[in-house]
Amino acid sequence: MLAKLGLFGLFIGCMLSATVIPFSSEALLAGALLLDYPTWIVILVASLGNTAGGMISFAMGWFCKWSWIEKYLKVKEESLEKARLKVEKYGVLAALLTWLPVVGDVIAIAMGLMRIRPFWTSVLMFVGKAARYIVVAGVMGMAVSF
């Protein structure tokens, strides 16, 4: 399926995986790396898509009430409170951690709730997500060479 959708499919899949929809964008990245695209293009597209999804979570936090997030997105208030404390402690640098499974989405939502600077949030979110994909691509490259 990814081969038919190409880079557009990679972007959309990575975007969706960065929202509260749980699945692995790393698997999509791995599949795309097996196609004939340059590695840097695959990493860039995956990072941009995953950042877009993270910013959707950020926007949900910005525009929604805590009660809506808990009710409709099934994010527990305790999780949001823990993420809020991290964001309070680290500020916009917390965006570097939005790549983490499960808690990354909650951090992005908390950053939106707290109205953390959107521009720097998106830049640092991209940096964190790109770093993760660079590591994944490097590990895949080493595994394939064995």
Side-chain angles (χ1 to χ4, degrees), residues 12-133:
I12 296 298
C14 287
M15 182 181 69
L16 291 174
S17 73
T19 63
V20 292
I21 301 169
F23 67 92
S24 173
S25 63
E26 291 85 355
L28 296 174
L29 180 85
L33 287 171
L34 295 174
L35 302 174
D36 286 331
Y37 298 113
T39 301
W40 73 271
I41 294 281
V42 171
I43 291 170
L44 178 65
V45 169
S47 300
L48 288 170
N50 210 244
T51 300
M55 289 307 290
I56 289 170
S57 294
F58 176 87
M60 285 190 274
W62 190 285
F63 294 109
C64 297
K65 295 179 183 179
W66 284 62
S67 59
W68 297 352
I69 292 167
E70 189 173 16
K71 182 177 180 180
Y72 299 111
L73 300 179
K74 307 295 185 215
V75 176
K76 292 183 177 13
E77 188 172 352
E78 302 85 45
S79 298
L80 276 173
E81 185 58 26
K82 284 180 187 176
R84 188 190 65 75
L85 291 173
K86 284 194 188 327
V87 173
E88 204 170 78
K89 182 176 180 179
Y90 297 108
V92 73
L93 292 176
L96 291 168
L97 301 176
T98 59
W99 66 269
L100 292 167
V102 183
V103 296
D105 299 334
V106 180
I107 291 170
I109 291 168
M111 291 182 80
L113 281 166
M114 296 174 68
R115 306 289 198 269
I116 302 296
R117 297 173 289 181
F119 174 78
W120 288 110
T121 296
S122 65
V123 168
L124 292 172
M125 190 181 288
F126 176 83
V127 169
K129 290 171 181 284
R132 171 197 47 187
Y133 288 136

